[in-house]
């Protein structure tokens, strides 16, 4: 930030700008790198609709069957609460004691690492286990974190002229394939009922034969068992022996011996009926009032939602092509979160592009075509540089980041406008372009730095916002700080070099220049149309857009700009002067 006095102390040069002007090739290489890495960062950054906020909350759940809420609170909830109350970083403890179950919610401050907090809570719960009841009717305590970022991003619904078992088989195949995707956390299947074996016991026969439910349970558990039979040395190799006793056909259970007294043997079929059916439904899936098997895909926290959805759809398409699922199976996609994300992000992107066009248009009429290009260069350079920094700090492209960029559009050109106009003032006073760029930027370097810092100072307190709401909202000020800092760097380093290279006094183009301009513009449009036939999209569209802008500029905008600067602005200035005199 140090400066050196030049020309009798009237003008001071800024050393960073002077260094950039002395190494223009390095600056142009820097421009190229910023463009390349900026585009790469924007394309590779995870896309999401709203920021994923880590809610530092842990749940301790304990089930104790056959107990009232009052008993659950006294013998389970209070001992655990008492032990967990001293955990470091704790914010609040809330609990719910209901019939048969205790649920304790432990909330931490947002600056606490959730993995460390989870481990500390587990350690405290382990210390409390000595005061808790034990037995087969106690399940837990189970400690787990509550991740609100893991939500279904897409539903795959299977239907058709197939049985529930066949649909379940296809769903399980897709489940295994989709779970191999790195961005996917888990895949849930809804709308199917698990098969189960029901044993309908005749109570009168049990009483007549003096058999209890425990006798039936014991017999089934002992018969439906696979166990080790030891080892055997066979041809110099020691092999393990396994006695397979698990039931494969549910109706084999009818032959299980429940009771034996002397020569009298009681089989299960003598006292009960074995039925192989479906469990009680725990979930329903319907589409157009018809039953379906639904597959819910849950994304991992922090992963790219758009990439995950695209890979899921690609997996389904591959399964179709490889005939792993039949062509007659109807697959419908619902609740596709990627469509909403793409729609919202496209709207914000379009708003940002429209804002850039309007900003450049205003610059064009007030500053002229060449000046507008110099100043407008600050917009993409600042944005691309910001995308690189956003990727480094592990932010994602979401509505908060894009909204911040839209807010910053009008502000990030301020510094470049001041720099370019001051360079033109020095050129008009007889300085050569490179000397003018060095002295003009040095003259206003400290004022624009001070101006930018005063703007950033308003956002620094917002960046320190704490709490869950703060984690959500502070993305806006941090993004603004990054963008405005990038615009200051562009104004002091890149804009002087580009201006000094291409600067000239504005004047009406000669007919030869216009003819060449038309050739270049129509050449860009023609090249873009030819490239569209090859299947490319981005580069041809940009060529066509810039070509059309060039044609409109030569045919209409240039004359409108001259009229605006030579007629309209002087009238406004005279009216303003008369107002001041009055």
């Amino acid at each position: 930030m140090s400066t050196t006095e030049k020309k009798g102390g009237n003008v001071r040069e800024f050393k960073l700008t002077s260094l950039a002007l002395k190494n223009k090739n390095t600056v142009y290489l820097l421009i190229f790198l910023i463009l390349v890495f900026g585009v790469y960062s924007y394309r590779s950054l995870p896309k999401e609709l709203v920021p994923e906020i880590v809610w530092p909350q842990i749940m301790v759940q304990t089930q104790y069957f056959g107990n009232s809420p009052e008993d659950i609170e006294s013998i389970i909830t209070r001992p655990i609460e008492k032990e967990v109350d001293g955990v470091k970083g704790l914010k609040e403890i809330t609990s719910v004691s209901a019939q048969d179950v205790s649920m304790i919610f432990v909330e931490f401050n947002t600056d606490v690492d959730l993995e460390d907090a989870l481990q500390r809570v587990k350690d405290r719960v382990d210390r409390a286990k000595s005061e808790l009841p034990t037995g087969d009717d106690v399940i837990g305590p189970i400690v787990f974190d509550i991740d609100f970022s893991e939500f279904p991003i897409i539903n795959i619904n299977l239907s058709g002229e197939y049985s529930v078992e066949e649909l379940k088989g296809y769903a399980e195949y897709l489940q295994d394939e989709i779970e191999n995707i790195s961005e996917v956390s888990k895949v849930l299947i809804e709308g199917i009922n698990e098969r189960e074996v029901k044993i309908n016991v005749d109570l009168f026969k049990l009483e007549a034969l003096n058999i209890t439910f425990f006798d039936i349970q014991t017999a089934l558990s002992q018969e439906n068992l696979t166990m080790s039979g030891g080892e055997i040395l066979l041809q110099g190799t020691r092999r393990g022996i396994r006695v397979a006793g698990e039931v494969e056909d549910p109706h084999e259970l009818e032959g299980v011996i429940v009771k034996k007294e002397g020569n009298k043997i009681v089989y299960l079929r003598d006292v009960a009926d074995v039925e192989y059916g479906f469990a009680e439904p725990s979930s329903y899936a319907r589409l157009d009032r018809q039953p379906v098997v639904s597959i819910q895909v849950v994304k991992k926290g922090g992963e790219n939602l758009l990439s995950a959805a695209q890979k899921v759809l690609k997996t389904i398409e591959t399964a179709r092509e490889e005939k792993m699922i039949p062509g007659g199976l109807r697959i419908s996609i619902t609740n596709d979160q990627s469509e909403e994300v793409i729609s919202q992000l496209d709207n914000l992107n379009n708003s940002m592009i429209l804002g850039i066009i309007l900003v450049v248009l205003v610059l064009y009429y007030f500053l002229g075509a060449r000046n507008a290009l110099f100043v407008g260069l600050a917009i993409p350079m600042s944005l691309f540089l910001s995308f690189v920094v956003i990727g480094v700090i592990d932010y994602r492209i979401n509505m908060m980041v894009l909204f911040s960029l839209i807010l910053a559009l009008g502000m990030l050109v301020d510094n470049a406008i001041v720099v370019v106009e001051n360079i033109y003032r020095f050129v008009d006073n007889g300085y050569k372009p490179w000397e003018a760029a060095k002295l003009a930027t040095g003259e206003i370097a400290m004022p624009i730095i001070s101006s930018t810092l005063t703007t950033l100072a308003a956002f620094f307190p917002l960046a320190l916002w704490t709490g869950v709401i703060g984690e959500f909202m502070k993305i806006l000020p941090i993004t603004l700080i990054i963008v405005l800092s990038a615009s200051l760097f562009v104004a002091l380093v890149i804009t002087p070099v580009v201006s000094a290279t291409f600067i000239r006094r504005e004047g009406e183009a000669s007919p030869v220049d216009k003819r060449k301009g038309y050739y270049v513009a129509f050449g860009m449009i023609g090249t873009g149309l030819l490239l569209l036939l090859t299947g490319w999209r981005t580069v041809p569209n940009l060529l066509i857009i810039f070509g059309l802008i060039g044609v409109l500029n030569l045919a209409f905008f240039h004359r409108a700009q001259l009229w605006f600067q030579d007629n309209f602005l002087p009238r406004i200035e005279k009216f303003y002067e008369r107002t001041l005199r009055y």
Side-chain angles (χ1 to χ4, degrees), residues 158-164 166-167 170 290-291 326-330:
L158 309 182
S159 60
E161 300 298 328
Y162 299 93
S163 65
V164 176
E166 290 175 318
L167 292 177
Y170 299 138
Q290 297 295 324
L329 182 66
R330 188 161 69 96

Side-chain angles (χ1 to χ4, degrees), residues 143-154:
V143 183
F144 56 92
D145 62 307
I146 303 175
D147 191 352
F148 293 95
S149 64
E150 291 193 354
F151 57 91
I153 61 171
I154 190 172

Side-chain angles (χ1 to χ4, degrees), residues 373-394:
L373 289 177
F374 294 155
V375 175
L377 179 66
I379 298 176
M381 296 305 302
S382 301
L383 294 180
F384 286 137
L385 185 57
S386 301
F387 288 137
V388 175
V389 179
I390 287 172
V392 171
I393 64 176
D394 199 27

Side-chain angles (χ1 to χ4, degrees), residues 3-54:
T3 57
T4 304
E5 292 191 4
K6 295 286 290 182
K7 303 226 174 188
N10 294 326
V11 181
R12 304 164 66 89
E13 68 176 65
F14 188 64
K15 283 197 171 182
L16 181 60
T17 304
S18 300
L19 183 64
L21 292 169
K22 291 178 182 177
N23 300 274
K24 66 174 183 177
N25 293 333
T26 303
V27 173
Y28 284 117
L29 176 61
L30 179 63
I31 294 174
F32 175 76
L33 292 177
I34 291 175
L35 291 175
V36 171
F37 285 105
V39 172
Y40 173 78
S41 298
Y42 179 78
R43 294 179 62 89
S44 61
L45 281 172
K47 310 296 191 301
E48 59 190 9
L49 185 59
V50 294
E52 289 185 355
I53 304 301
V54 178

Side-chain angles (χ1 to χ4, degrees), residues 28 360 363 367-381 413 416-417 419-421 423-424 490-491 494-504 506:
Y28 284 117
V360 174
L363 295 174
L367 304 180
R370 189 169 293 266
N371 286 7
L373 289 177
F374 294 155
V375 175
L377 179 66
I379 298 176
M381 296 305 302
V413 296
I417 290 174
V419 170
V420 171
E421 282 298 293
I423 292 175
Y424 265 92
V490 171
I494 295 177
T495 301
V497 174
V498 176
S499 299
T501 304
F502 299 102
I503 196 171
R504 74 171 186 181
E506 287 289 337

Side-chain angles (χ1 to χ4, degrees), residues 504-511 513-514 558-559 561-562 566:
R504 74 171 186 181
R505 289 190 177 91
E506 287 289 337
E508 187 174 359
S510 64
D513 292 333
K514 284 188 176 182
H558 183 66
R559 284 179 293 176
Q561 174 224 336
L562 293 178
D566 297 338

